[in-house]
Amino acid sequence: MSVYDKYKAVIGLECHIQLLTKTKMYSNDVSEYGAMPNTNVSVITLGHPGTLPKVNKRAVEFAVKLGIALNCNIREENQFARKNYFYADLPKGYQITQDKTPICTGGHLDIKLKNGTEKRINLTRIHMEEDAGKSMHDIDPFESLIDLNRAGTPLLEIVTEPDFTGGDDAYVYLTEIKKLVRYLDICDGNMEEGSLRCDANISVMLKDAKEYGKKVEVKNMNSFRNVQRAIDFEIKRQIDLLESGGEIAGETRSFDAVNGSTFSLRSKENANDYRYFPEPDLQPVFVTEKYINAIKSQMPELPGDLFKKFTREFGLSEYDAYNLTDLKGLALYFNELVSFTKNYKAAANWMMGSIKSYLNENAIDIEQFHVKPKIIADLIALIDEGKISNAAATQKLFSELMQHPDEAPISIAQRLDILQSNDTNALQELVNQALAKYPEKITEYKNGKVNLLGLFVGEVMKLGKGKADPKMANQLVKEALEK
Ligand code: ADP
Ligand code: MG
């Protein structure tokens, strides 16, 4: 047993998601990524004397949506609070956030671990707040640059209970959160652009200990993989430190992606006292039962529910269901496709096979795919009715369909001359020709070399120029050989 097995790790995550509202949290400034620096900055964002903030309704709606999706309790009376600190990219000198009255409390997200087991991650709270501006220290060699466009951008902060035990479950959770916020259309989930950010709180304890160890907070991870790496590095660092007789210091650390290690930023002793107090310039926002119900009635189907539907109702494998629900667009397309066909497995295969390859090759999303689900269902029906072979459909018809997205598959099949003949007499004639070509192989077959069957069937298909129904050809060849 290694020393690491004596310990267990305890981890809680704090995620910020940047909301896809048109304007900022407390002003009409446009909220967009990539605008010219310092162009979307009004006196309200700067907190000039005499200006008054007002709450962005859409941001409240997004918070309620997320709360519903994560099974949270949604608060009726929402107050805002000032969190005071001094930093160059915080022009007001305070952030307007929520302190004692977060809009959502409780709730949970069920995730599926790599080993297939389900795990419930409990949530502590979700609250509304605004982002700070952005300082850039690495563009100009002498000066720090500040872009205040981001100041005031609406954020939701999702805080979990300390329910994670390592980098792996944290990684899965983040993947699911990203998927969820994209389904809800409230955040683009792009961690590289900073629209989804995550801090990890990590501690370790002996397995039979009663109390949690002292936690360390790690920041500045710009990808899910790096969150996972930072957590796993930090667990090992803390155990090594304890084993060598050291003590864990309550501190904030940063992740160095190049070395895969963490380093100390500041100790908790020097932590800011934020002097929270109720925001005097904003009235509380009331979220009524009626409002919550109205939003509930407009919720899209969520990935977790779709996964269950695809596996339980449609009998798809978990693998297929996972891939089909990964992106909302794919799931919606599939949902429409199966309203036209009951061959769910074939529908999934077309989605994950030819269609996805086409999207990849052309670097487009399903939203730009111009063939209607009904047409794909017609194509599946043609195969199921034995009118064209699966091979002809994937190899010939599909690419033709991409050129003529509105043409009926049956008409393309006629044009390409790949409709299968179901005429048994004609097929029997081809079988006879194929057998006549290799008389010595017939004897070998009869002496036990049964995999020669493929040779004859292949010959029949060749003679039939791809139009013969392979199933029927197979059957007729077998019958002829065993006569
Ligand atoms: P703080 O007041 O230091 O911000 P919080 O109680 O607000 O701490 O918790 C912040 C995050 O840290 C939450 O996600 C919580 O689950 C997590 N957390 C709390 N205690 C521990 C611990 N001992 N080890 C790891 N994570 C913890
Ligand atoms: Mg906290």
Side-chain angles (χ1 to χ4, degrees):
M1 197 176 100
S2 94
V3 293
Y4 300 107
D5 297 328
K6 289 197 297 187
Y7 293 86
K8 67 179 176 194
V10 173
I11 298 134
L13 297 179
E14 294 168 287
C15 288
H16 284 96
I17 64 164
Q18 207 174 70
L19 298 181
L20 288 170
T21 53
K22 290 203 179 70
T23 55
K24 292 186 182 177
M25 186 67 206
Y26 309 109
S27 78
N28 283 337
D29 290 352
V30 173
S31 177
E32 63 184 339
Y33 184 84
M36 276 292 285
N38 299 306
T39 51
N40 295 324
V41 188
S42 66
V43 286
I44 300 178
T45 291
L46 297 172
H48 281 189
T51 60
L52 285 176
K54 54 179 191 250
V55 174
N56 186 326
K57 244 193 198 165
R58 193 37 76 83
V60 177
E61 179 192 325
F62 286 1
V64 172
K65 264 183 157 179
L66 185 61
I68 294 170
L70 290 169
N71 312 289
C72 302
N73 300 309
I74 296 166
R75 184 180 307 276
E76 188 179 6
E77 183 177 342
N78 285 272
Q79 272 143 12
F80 292 87
R82 279 193 192 177
K83 179 180 179 179
N84 301 279
Y85 64 96
F86 177 78
Y87 201 73
D89 58 23
L90 187 77
K92 294 201 290 259
Y94 58 86
Q95 176 194 31
I96 306 179
T97 178
Q98 292 192 284
D99 180 27
K100 300 264 167 27
T101 61
I103 185 158
C104 304
T105 48
H108 56 82
L109 180 65
D110 293 328
I111 59 172
K112 196 161 218 116
L113 303 179
K114 252 197 271 163
N115 64 13
T117 58
E118 225 177 58
K119 176 170 181 177
R120 173 156 293 186
I121 303 300
N122 293 291
L123 304 179
T124 314
R125 60 186 280 164
I126 302 174
H127 62 259
M128 302 178 278
E129 60 185 27
E130 62 178 329
D131 210 342
K134 204 168 172 180
S135 311
M136 286 153 281
H137 308 292
D138 52 3
I139 294 183
D140 187 286
F142 304 108
E143 329 248 15
S144 282
L145 304 181
I146 294 174
D147 178 6
L148 293 178
N149 281 348
R150 203 181 65 180
T153 300
L155 300 176
L156 293 178
E157 177 172 349
I158 312 168
V159 183
T160 77
E161 291 290 292
D163 284 351
F164 301 96
T165 55
D168 285 349
D169 50 359
Y171 181 87
V172 178
Y173 167 82
L174 289 173
T175 311
E176 291 302 318
I177 287 286
K178 171 173 171 174
K179 204 189 289 181
L180 188 64
V181 298
R182 287 184 163 188
Y183 265 77
L184 294 171
D185 285 323
I186 62 173
C187 167
D188 64 24
N190 190 332
M191 208 170 176
E192 284 71 26
E193 286 179 7
S195 48
L196 198 165
R197 277 165 272 160
C198 174
D199 302 334
N201 297 272
I202 304 150
S203 67
V204 299
M205 64 198 277
L206 285 169
K207 276 186 176 156
D208 54 2
K210 293 274 176 298
E211 271 177 37
Y212 290 156
K214 196 173 258 180
K215 74 174 156 66
V216 166
E217 185 176 1
V218 183
K219 292 183 173 297
N220 298 330
M221 293 133 332
N222 62 356
S223 71
F224 294 168
R225 276 293 164 225
N226 283 342
V227 174
Q228 184 181 31
R229 289 169 72 205
I231 289 173
D232 290 336
F233 173 87
E234 189 55 28
I235 293 171
K236 182 169 181 303
R237 186 190 70 84
Q238 291 184 16
I239 295 175
D240 288 345
L241 186 60
L242 292 174
E243 281 293 306
S244 63
E247 250 181 64
I248 308 294
E251 61 181 347
T252 302
R253 297 176 73 88
S254 184
F255 182 63
D256 174 351
V258 176
N259 299 312
S261 59
T262 63
F263 60 93
S264 184
L265 280 180
R266 53 184 176 265
S267 87
K268 283 280 175 192
E269 278 83 69
N270 301 330
N272 281 310
D273 172 2
Y274 294 119
R275 294 174 295 121
Y276 282 97
F277 64 85
E279 167 58 56
D281 288 342
L282 285 174
Q283 298 281 335
V285 167
F286 286 86
V287 177
T288 62
E289 193 77 34
K290 193 172 152 210
Y291 180 76
I292 297 172
N293 287 334
I295 293 184
K296 258 188 201 156
S297 68
Q298 299 160 19
M299 292 285 279
E301 281 188 281
L302 298 177
D305 300 331
L306 287 171
F307 183 88
K308 278 185 198 143
K309 175 161 129 188
F310 292 176
T311 49
R312 292 180 194 167
E313 271 178 53
F314 298 168
L316 296 182
S317 68
E318 293 201 339
Y319 178 83
D320 283 347
Y322 184 83
N323 284 314
L324 285 169
T325 52
D326 192 31
L327 293 173
K328 184 184 186 179
L330 279 183
L332 291 183
Y333 192 97
F334 182 74
N335 243 354
E336 197 178 332
L337 177 54
V338 296
S339 69
F340 300 114
T341 175
K342 291 284 159 276
N343 193 343
Y344 305 123
K345 181 66 194 159
N349 288 346
W350 277 99
M351 296 282 314
M352 305 321 299
S354 301
I355 295 178
K356 221 165 177 195
S357 308
Y358 180 81
L359 300 179
N360 289 342
E361 280 158 21
N362 293 279
I364 55 171
D365 295 324
I366 190 83
E367 285 77 8
Q368 289 132 294
F369 185 64
H370 37 276
V371 180
K372 299 235 160 52
K374 172 76 170 65
I375 300 260
I376 300 294
D378 291 346
L379 176 55
I380 292 172
L382 279 187
I383 301 167
D384 288 349
E385 290 158 9
K387 296 216 173 86
I388 55 173
S389 71
N390 199 50
T394 51
Q395 290 158 21
K396 297 185 180 150
L397 201 153
F398 186 77
S399 60
E400 191 65 16
L401 181 60
M402 294 305 102
Q403 306 305 316
H404 308 272
D406 299 320
E407 191 175 350
I410 182 91
S411 120
I412 299 180
Q414 274 158 354
R415 187 150 54 74
L416 296 178
D417 197 18
I418 52 171
L419 279 173
Q420 275 171 169
S421 65
N422 281 333
D423 178 347
T424 327
N425 290 336
L427 195 55
Q428 188 63 54
E429 183 47 41
L430 299 181
V431 171
N432 296 344
Q433 284 177 31
L435 264 61
K437 199 162 170 192
Y438 304 104
E440 71 287 5
K441 300 283 180 203
I442 302 180
T443 326
E444 283 180 41
Y445 178 91
K446 290 194 167 153
N447 290 337
K449 238 178 146 184
V450 289
N451 53 11
L452 281 170
L453 183 68
L455 171 85
F456 293 111
V457 176
E459 187 61 29
V460 173
M461 298 308 291
K462 218 188 290 169
L463 291 168
K465 304 207 171 57
K467 284 197 278 174
D469 175 358
K471 250 189 262 161
M472 206 138 80
N474 209 62
Q475 193 191 332
L476 290 180
V477 168
K478 214 167 172 182
E479 279 168 15
L481 284 168
E482 278 160 20
K483 246 199 285 209

PDB file of all heavy atoms in Angstrom, residues 362-374:
ATOM      1  N   ASN A 362     -16.268  19.410 -43.771  1.00  0.00           N
ATOM      2  CA  ASN A 362     -16.577  20.756 -44.238  1.00  0.00           C
ATOM      3  C   ASN A 362     -16.476  21.803 -43.141  1.00  0.00           C
ATOM      4  O   ASN A 362     -16.810  22.965 -43.354  1.00  0.00           O
ATOM      5  CB  ASN A 362     -17.971  20.780 -44.857  1.00  0.00           C
ATOM      6  CG  ASN A 362     -18.008  19.963 -46.129  1.00  0.00           C
ATOM      7  OD1 ASN A 362     -17.597  20.439 -47.184  1.00  0.00           O
ATOM      8  ND2 ASN A 362     -18.440  18.721 -46.024  1.00  0.00           N
ATOM      9  N   ALA A 363     -16.036  21.349 -41.954  1.00  0.00           N
ATOM     10  CA  ALA A 363     -15.894  22.248 -40.804  1.00  0.00           C
ATOM     11  C   ALA A 363     -17.150  23.086 -40.580  1.00  0.00           C
ATOM     12  O   ALA A 363     -17.094  24.308 -40.440  1.00  0.00           O
ATOM     13  CB  ALA A 363     -14.670  23.147 -40.973  1.00  0.00           C
ATOM     14  N   ILE A 364     -18.301  22.403 -40.575  1.00  0.00           N
ATOM     15  CA  ILE A 364     -19.551  23.121 -40.280  1.00  0.00           C
ATOM     16  C   ILE A 364     -20.261  22.425 -39.126  1.00  0.00           C
ATOM     17  O   ILE A 364     -19.936  21.294 -38.779  1.00  0.00           O
ATOM     18  CB  ILE A 364     -20.503  23.192 -41.497  1.00  0.00           C
ATOM     19  CG1 ILE A 364     -20.792  21.781 -42.035  1.00  0.00           C
ATOM     20  CG2 ILE A 364     -19.953  24.088 -42.577  1.00  0.00           C
ATOM     21  CD1 ILE A 364     -21.884  21.745 -43.081  1.00  0.00           C
ATOM     22  N   ASP A 365     -21.217  23.135 -38.532  1.00  0.00           N
ATOM     23  CA  ASP A 365     -22.040  22.558 -37.475  1.00  0.00           C
ATOM     24  C   ASP A 365     -23.316  22.011 -38.079  1.00  0.00           C
ATOM     25  O   ASP A 365     -23.684  22.365 -39.202  1.00  0.00           O
ATOM     26  CB  ASP A 365     -22.412  23.635 -36.439  1.00  0.00           C
ATOM     27  CG  ASP A 365     -21.174  24.137 -35.709  1.00  0.00           C
ATOM     28  OD1 ASP A 365     -20.274  23.313 -35.454  1.00  0.00           O
ATOM     29  OD2 ASP A 365     -21.118  25.346 -35.416  1.00  0.00           O
ATOM     30  N   ILE A 366     -24.014  21.201 -37.295  1.00  0.00           N
ATOM     31  CA  ILE A 366     -25.261  20.600 -37.766  1.00  0.00           C
ATOM     32  C   ILE A 366     -26.268  21.697 -38.149  1.00  0.00           C
ATOM     33  O   ILE A 366     -27.088  21.504 -39.035  1.00  0.00           O
ATOM     34  CB  ILE A 366     -25.848  19.647 -36.700  1.00  0.00           C
ATOM     35  CG1 ILE A 366     -27.011  18.830 -37.246  1.00  0.00           C
ATOM     36  CG2 ILE A 366     -26.265  20.394 -35.444  1.00  0.00           C
ATOM     37  CD1 ILE A 366     -26.633  17.616 -38.003  1.00  0.00           C
ATOM     38  N   GLU A 367     -26.162  22.866 -37.503  1.00  0.00           N
ATOM     39  CA  GLU A 367     -27.079  23.966 -37.826  1.00  0.00           C
ATOM     40  C   GLU A 367     -26.927  24.395 -39.292  1.00  0.00           C
ATOM     41  O   GLU A 367     -27.844  24.947 -39.877  1.00  0.00           O
ATOM     42  CB  GLU A 367     -26.839  25.176 -36.912  1.00  0.00           C
ATOM     43  CG  GLU A 367     -27.361  25.018 -35.485  1.00  0.00           C
ATOM     44  CD  GLU A 367     -26.488  24.145 -34.591  1.00  0.00           C
ATOM     45  OE1 GLU A 367     -25.370  23.750 -35.010  1.00  0.00           O
ATOM     46  OE2 GLU A 367     -26.945  23.831 -33.467  1.00  0.00           O
ATOM     47  N   GLN A 368     -25.748  24.150 -39.864  1.00  0.00           N
ATOM     48  CA  GLN A 368     -25.528  24.535 -41.273  1.00  0.00           C
ATOM     49  C   GLN A 368     -25.712  23.364 -42.225  1.00  0.00           C
ATOM     50  O   GLN A 368     -25.459  23.484 -43.424  1.00  0.00           O
ATOM     51  CB  GLN A 368     -24.119  25.103 -41.456  1.00  0.00           C
ATOM     52  CG  GLN A 368     -23.936  26.463 -40.822  1.00  0.00           C
ATOM     53  CD  GLN A 368     -22.676  26.504 -39.994  1.00  0.00           C
ATOM     54  OE1 GLN A 368     -22.559  25.817 -38.976  1.00  0.00           O
ATOM     55  NE2 GLN A 368     -21.714  27.285 -40.397  1.00  0.00           N
ATOM     56  N   PHE A 369     -26.128  22.228 -41.686  1.00  0.00           N
ATOM     57  CA  PHE A 369     -26.345  21.044 -42.520  1.00  0.00           C
ATOM     58  C   PHE A 369     -27.696  21.221 -43.201  1.00  0.00           C
ATOM     59  O   PHE A 369     -28.715  21.442 -42.542  1.00  0.00           O
ATOM     60  CB  PHE A 369     -26.343  19.805 -41.616  1.00  0.00           C
ATOM     61  CG  PHE A 369     -26.439  18.511 -42.347  1.00  0.00           C
ATOM     62  CD1 PHE A 369     -25.448  18.100 -43.207  1.00  0.00           C
ATOM     63  CD2 PHE A 369     -27.539  17.680 -42.153  1.00  0.00           C
ATOM     64  CE1 PHE A 369     -25.534  16.887 -43.869  1.00  0.00           C
ATOM     65  CE2 PHE A 369     -27.636  16.459 -42.804  1.00  0.00           C
ATOM     66  CZ  PHE A 369     -26.619  16.068 -43.662  1.00  0.00           C
ATOM     67  N   HIS A 370     -27.721  21.150 -44.538  1.00  0.00           N
ATOM     68  CA  HIS A 370     -28.913  21.607 -45.249  1.00  0.00           C
ATOM     69  C   HIS A 370     -29.876  20.486 -45.647  1.00  0.00           C
ATOM     70  O   HIS A 370     -30.844  20.745 -46.338  1.00  0.00           O
ATOM     71  CB  HIS A 370     -28.496  22.423 -46.468  1.00  0.00           C
ATOM     72  CG  HIS A 370     -27.263  21.859 -47.106  1.00  0.00           C
ATOM     73  ND1 HIS A 370     -25.996  22.177 -46.647  1.00  0.00           N
ATOM     74  CD2 HIS A 370     -27.097  20.972 -48.087  1.00  0.00           C
ATOM     75  CE1 HIS A 370     -25.107  21.501 -47.374  1.00  0.00           C
ATOM     76  NE2 HIS A 370     -25.752  20.770 -48.243  1.00  0.00           N
ATOM     77  N   VAL A 371     -29.589  19.249 -45.251  1.00  0.00           N
ATOM     78  CA  VAL A 371     -30.528  18.174 -45.576  1.00  0.00           C
ATOM     79  C   VAL A 371     -31.504  18.000 -44.413  1.00  0.00           C
ATOM     80  O   VAL A 371     -31.090  17.847 -43.269  1.00  0.00           O
ATOM     81  CB  VAL A 371     -29.786  16.849 -45.841  1.00  0.00           C
ATOM     82  CG1 VAL A 371     -30.777  15.751 -46.185  1.00  0.00           C
ATOM     83  CG2 VAL A 371     -28.770  17.038 -46.946  1.00  0.00           C
ATOM     84  N   LYS A 372     -32.785  18.016 -44.724  1.00  0.00           N
ATOM     85  CA  LYS A 372     -33.796  17.931 -43.668  1.00  0.00           C
ATOM     86  C   LYS A 372     -33.850  16.512 -43.087  1.00  0.00           C
ATOM     87  O   LYS A 372     -33.668  15.532 -43.819  1.00  0.00           O
ATOM     88  CB  LYS A 372     -35.169  18.284 -44.243  1.00  0.00           C
ATOM     89  CG  LYS A 372     -35.233  19.685 -44.808  1.00  0.00           C
ATOM     90  CD  LYS A 372     -36.373  20.464 -44.180  1.00  0.00           C
ATOM     91  CE  LYS A 372     -36.184  21.950 -44.343  1.00  0.00           C
ATOM     92  NZ  LYS A 372     -35.929  22.379 -45.737  1.00  0.00           N
ATOM     93  N   PRO A 373     -34.128  16.403 -41.789  1.00  0.00           N
ATOM     94  CA  PRO A 373     -34.223  15.079 -41.154  1.00  0.00           C
ATOM     95  C   PRO A 373     -35.168  14.127 -41.901  1.00  0.00           C
ATOM     96  O   PRO A 373     -34.907  12.929 -42.004  1.00  0.00           O
ATOM     97  CB  PRO A 373     -34.762  15.399 -39.760  1.00  0.00           C
ATOM     98  CG  PRO A 373     -34.306  16.786 -39.480  1.00  0.00           C
ATOM     99  CD  PRO A 373     -34.298  17.496 -40.803  1.00  0.00           C
ATOM    100  N   LYS A 374     -36.265  14.683 -42.450  1.00  0.00           N
ATOM    101  CA  LYS A 374     -37.249  13.856 -43.162  1.00  0.00           C
ATOM    102  C   LYS A 374     -36.577  13.117 -44.335  1.00  0.00           C
ATOM    103  O   LYS A 374     -36.882  11.959 -44.617  1.00  0.00           O
ATOM    104  CB  LYS A 374     -38.375  14.765 -43.671  1.00  0.00           C
ATOM    105  CG  LYS A 374     -39.376  14.110 -44.600  1.00  0.00           C
ATOM    106  CD  LYS A 374     -40.340  13.217 -43.826  1.00  0.00           C
ATOM    107  CE  LYS A 374     -41.497  12.733 -44.667  1.00  0.00           C
ATOM    108  NZ  LYS A 374     -41.125  11.858 -45.772  1.00  0.00           N
TER     109      LYS A 374
END
